[in-house]
PDB file of all heavy atoms in Angstrom:
ATOM      1  N   SER K   3      11.255 -14.637  14.305  1.00 48.00           N
ATOM      2  CA  SER K   3      10.094 -15.521  14.263  1.00 48.00           C
ATOM      3  C   SER K   3       8.789 -14.744  14.363  1.00 48.00           C
ATOM      4  O   SER K   3       7.720 -15.309  14.244  1.00 48.00           O
ATOM      5  CB  SER K   3      10.186 -16.550  15.402  1.00 48.00           C
ATOM      6  OG  SER K   3      10.254 -15.892  16.655  1.00 48.00           O
ATOM      7  N   ASP K   9       4.074  -9.102   5.978  1.00 88.00           N
ATOM      8  CA  ASP K   9       5.467  -8.913   5.570  1.00 88.00           C
ATOM      9  C   ASP K   9       5.797  -9.687   4.304  1.00 88.00           C
ATOM     10  O   ASP K   9       6.764  -9.352   3.602  1.00 88.00           O
ATOM     11  CB  ASP K   9       6.421  -9.367   6.691  1.00 88.00           C
ATOM     12  CG  ASP K   9       6.247  -8.559   7.965  1.00 88.00           C
ATOM     13  OD1 ASP K   9       6.001  -7.344   7.852  1.00 88.00           O
ATOM     14  OD2 ASP K   9       6.356  -9.148   9.064  1.00 88.00           O
ATOM     15  N   VAL K  15      -3.289  -8.136  -5.885  1.00 92.00           N
ATOM     16  CA  VAL K  15      -4.062  -9.364  -6.023  1.00 92.00           C
ATOM     17  C   VAL K  15      -4.973  -9.299  -7.246  1.00 92.00           C
ATOM     18  O   VAL K  15      -5.710  -8.319  -7.428  1.00 92.00           O
ATOM     19  CB  VAL K  15      -4.921  -9.618  -4.771  1.00 92.00           C
ATOM     20  CG1 VAL K  15      -5.567 -10.997  -4.847  1.00 92.00           C
ATOM     21  CG2 VAL K  15      -4.085  -9.491  -3.506  1.00 92.00           C
ATOM     22  N   ARG K  42     -14.331 -11.223  -5.267  1.00 94.00           N
ATOM     23  CA  ARG K  42     -14.498 -10.057  -4.396  1.00 94.00           C
ATOM     24  C   ARG K  42     -15.741  -9.261  -4.774  1.00 94.00           C
ATOM     25  O   ARG K  42     -16.050  -9.068  -5.940  1.00 94.00           O
ATOM     26  CB  ARG K  42     -13.257  -9.171  -4.489  1.00 94.00           C
ATOM     27  CG  ARG K  42     -13.346  -7.903  -3.668  1.00 94.00           C
ATOM     28  CD  ARG K  42     -11.991  -7.276  -3.418  1.00 94.00           C
ATOM     29  NE  ARG K  42     -11.278  -6.907  -4.631  1.00 94.00           N
ATOM     30  CZ  ARG K  42     -10.118  -6.249  -4.622  1.00 94.00           C
ATOM     31  NH1 ARG K  42      -9.529  -5.924  -3.475  1.00 94.00           N
ATOM     32  NH2 ARG K  42      -9.523  -5.938  -5.746  1.00 94.00           N
ATOM     33  N   VAL K  65     -18.834 -17.147 -12.606  1.00 97.00           N
ATOM     34  CA  VAL K  65     -18.043 -17.519 -11.421  1.00 97.00           C
ATOM     35  C   VAL K  65     -18.955 -17.883 -10.247  1.00 97.00           C
ATOM     36  O   VAL K  65     -18.694 -18.850  -9.520  1.00 97.00           O
ATOM     37  CB  VAL K  65     -17.093 -16.358 -11.031  1.00 97.00           C
ATOM     38  CG1 VAL K  65     -16.563 -16.547  -9.606  1.00 97.00           C
ATOM     39  CG2 VAL K  65     -15.939 -16.262 -12.018  1.00 97.00           C
ATOM     40  N   GLY K 108      -4.406  -8.611   0.323  1.00 94.00           N
ATOM     41  CA  GLY K 108      -3.305  -9.378  -0.251  1.00 94.00           C
ATOM     42  C   GLY K 108      -3.652 -10.841  -0.378  1.00 94.00           C
ATOM     43  O   GLY K 108      -4.772 -11.265  -0.072  1.00 94.00           O
ATOM     44  N   ILE K 109      -2.680 -11.605  -0.835  1.00 94.00           N
ATOM     45  CA  ILE K 109      -2.846 -13.054  -0.909  1.00 94.00           C
ATOM     46  C   ILE K 109      -1.520 -13.701  -0.533  1.00 94.00           C
ATOM     47  O   ILE K 109      -0.446 -13.203  -0.885  1.00 94.00           O
ATOM     48  CB  ILE K 109      -3.325 -13.508  -2.304  1.00 94.00           C
ATOM     49  CG1 ILE K 109      -3.781 -14.963  -2.267  1.00 94.00           C
ATOM     50  CG2 ILE K 109      -2.256 -13.275  -3.363  1.00 94.00           C
ATOM     51  CD1 ILE K 109      -4.640 -15.362  -3.459  1.00 94.00           C
ATOM     52  N   PRO K 151      26.924  -4.692  -6.217  1.00 97.00           N
ATOM     53  CA  PRO K 151      27.158  -4.862  -7.665  1.00 97.00           C
ATOM     54  C   PRO K 151      27.915  -6.162  -7.925  1.00 97.00           C
ATOM     55  O   PRO K 151      28.953  -6.420  -7.313  1.00 97.00           O
ATOM     56  CB  PRO K 151      28.011  -3.645  -8.020  1.00 97.00           C
ATOM     57  CG  PRO K 151      27.700  -2.628  -6.974  1.00 97.00           C
ATOM     58  CD  PRO K 151      27.474  -3.420  -5.711  1.00 97.00           C
ATOM     59  N   ASP K 165      23.567 -28.368 -12.410  1.00 83.00           N
ATOM     60  CA  ASP K 165      22.190 -28.656 -11.990  1.00 83.00           C
ATOM     61  C   ASP K 165      21.726 -27.698 -10.898  1.00 83.00           C
ATOM     62  O   ASP K 165      20.600 -27.220 -10.910  1.00 83.00           O
ATOM     63  CB  ASP K 165      22.035 -30.115 -11.545  1.00 83.00           C
ATOM     64  CG  ASP K 165      22.977 -30.523 -10.427  1.00 83.00           C
ATOM     65  OD1 ASP K 165      23.972 -29.810 -10.205  1.00 83.00           O
ATOM     66  OD2 ASP K 165      22.717 -31.549  -9.785  1.00 83.00           O
ATOM     67  N   ILE K 183      26.087 -14.156   1.341  1.00 94.00           N
ATOM     68  CA  ILE K 183      26.853 -13.644   2.478  1.00 94.00           C
ATOM     69  C   ILE K 183      28.216 -13.196   1.961  1.00 94.00           C
ATOM     70  O   ILE K 183      28.926 -13.975   1.315  1.00 94.00           O
ATOM     71  CB  ILE K 183      27.022 -14.708   3.573  1.00 94.00           C
ATOM     72  CG1 ILE K 183      25.649 -15.185   4.063  1.00 94.00           C
ATOM     73  CG2 ILE K 183      27.833 -14.146   4.749  1.00 94.00           C
ATOM     74  CD1 ILE K 183      25.712 -16.325   5.068  1.00 94.00           C
ATOM     75  N   PHE K 191      34.740  -6.906  -1.824  1.00 98.00           N
ATOM     76  CA  PHE K 191      33.552  -7.680  -1.461  1.00 98.00           C
ATOM     77  C   PHE K 191      33.857  -9.153  -1.732  1.00 98.00           C
ATOM     78  O   PHE K 191      33.870  -9.585  -2.887  1.00 98.00           O
ATOM     79  CB  PHE K 191      32.334  -7.216  -2.267  1.00 98.00           C
ATOM     80  CG  PHE K 191      31.875  -5.830  -1.920  1.00 98.00           C
ATOM     81  CD1 PHE K 191      32.379  -4.722  -2.591  1.00 98.00           C
ATOM     82  CD2 PHE K 191      30.943  -5.628  -0.925  1.00 98.00           C
ATOM     83  CE1 PHE K 191      31.958  -3.442  -2.288  1.00 98.00           C
ATOM     84  CE2 PHE K 191      30.490  -4.347  -0.597  1.00 98.00           C
ATOM     85  CZ  PHE K 191      31.016  -3.251  -1.277  1.00 98.00           C
ATOM     86  N   CYS K 208      21.429  -9.778 -14.133  1.00 94.00           N
ATOM     87  CA  CYS K 208      21.252  -8.897 -12.971  1.00 94.00           C
ATOM     88  C   CYS K 208      22.534  -8.101 -12.723  1.00 94.00           C
ATOM     89  O   CYS K 208      23.638  -8.643 -12.862  1.00 94.00           O
ATOM     90  CB  CYS K 208      20.899  -9.707 -11.726  1.00 94.00           C
ATOM     91  SG  CYS K 208      19.403 -10.705 -11.889  1.00 94.00           S
ATOM     92  N   PHE K 236      39.650 -15.305  -9.716  1.00 95.00           N
ATOM     93  CA  PHE K 236      39.584 -13.859  -9.524  1.00 95.00           C
ATOM     94  C   PHE K 236      38.235 -13.277  -9.959  1.00 95.00           C
ATOM     95  O   PHE K 236      37.776 -12.300  -9.408  1.00 95.00           O
ATOM     96  CB  PHE K 236      40.716 -13.171 -10.287  1.00 95.00           C
ATOM     97  CG  PHE K 236      42.091 -13.613  -9.831  1.00 95.00           C
ATOM     98  CD1 PHE K 236      42.780 -14.603 -10.530  1.00 95.00           C
ATOM     99  CD2 PHE K 236      42.675 -13.064  -8.702  1.00 95.00           C
ATOM    100  CE1 PHE K 236      44.032 -15.025 -10.111  1.00 95.00           C
ATOM    101  CE2 PHE K 236      43.927 -13.479  -8.271  1.00 95.00           C
ATOM    102  CZ  PHE K 236      44.616 -14.464  -8.970  1.00 95.00           C
ATOM    103  N   GLN K 248      26.467 -34.600 -10.738  1.00 50.00           N
ATOM    104  CA  GLN K 248      25.441 -33.960  -9.935  1.00 50.00           C
ATOM    105  C   GLN K 248      26.059 -33.326  -8.698  1.00 50.00           C
ATOM    106  O   GLN K 248      27.143 -33.690  -8.258  1.00 50.00           O
ATOM    107  CB  GLN K 248      24.392 -34.986  -9.498  1.00 50.00           C
ATOM    108  CG  GLN K 248      23.543 -35.514 -10.642  1.00 50.00           C
ATOM    109  CD  GLN K 248      22.553 -36.544 -10.142  1.00 50.00           C
ATOM    110  OE1 GLN K 248      22.882 -37.401  -9.335  1.00 50.00           O
ATOM    111  NE2 GLN K 248      21.324 -36.456 -10.621  1.00 50.00           N
ATOM    112  N   ILE K 254      23.998 -38.018  -3.292  1.00 48.00           N
ATOM    113  CA  ILE K 254      23.726 -38.789  -2.078  1.00 48.00           C
ATOM    114  C   ILE K 254      22.279 -39.252  -2.079  1.00 48.00           C
ATOM    115  O   ILE K 254      21.975 -40.409  -1.794  1.00 48.00           O
ATOM    116  CB  ILE K 254      24.021 -37.941  -0.828  1.00 48.00           C
ATOM    117  CG1 ILE K 254      25.532 -37.725  -0.686  1.00 48.00           C
ATOM    118  CG2 ILE K 254      23.468 -38.607   0.427  1.00 48.00           C
ATOM    119  CD1 ILE K 254      25.908 -36.709   0.379  1.00 48.00           C
ATOM    120  N   SER K 256      20.332 -39.724  -4.647  1.00 43.00           N
ATOM    121  CA  SER K 256      20.151 -40.753  -5.679  1.00 43.00           C
ATOM    122  C   SER K 256      20.659 -42.102  -5.206  1.00 43.00           C
ATOM    123  O   SER K 256      20.027 -43.137  -5.423  1.00 43.00           O
ATOM    124  CB  SER K 256      20.893 -40.348  -6.951  1.00 43.00           C
ATOM    125  OG  SER K 256      20.381 -39.143  -7.460  1.00 43.00           O
ATOM    126  N   LEU K 258      20.910 -43.168  -2.148  1.00 46.00           N
ATOM    127  CA  LEU K 258      20.018 -43.669  -1.110  1.00 46.00           C
ATOM    128  C   LEU K 258      18.775 -44.306  -1.724  1.00 46.00           C
ATOM    129  O   LEU K 258      18.292 -45.338  -1.250  1.00 46.00           O
ATOM    130  CB  LEU K 258      19.608 -42.536  -0.168  1.00 46.00           C
ATOM    131  CG  LEU K 258      20.691 -42.044   0.811  1.00 46.00           C
ATOM    132  CD1 LEU K 258      20.197 -40.817   1.568  1.00 46.00           C
ATOM    133  CD2 LEU K 258      21.058 -43.141   1.797  1.00 46.00           C
TER     134      LEU K 258
END
Side-chain angles (χ1 to χ4, degrees):
S3 59
D9 298 323
V15 188
R42 178 162 60 175
V65 164
I109 192 163
D165 57 343
I183 302 175
F191 292 90
C208 302
F236 300 97
Q248 291 179 317
I254 290 170
S256 299
L258 287 174

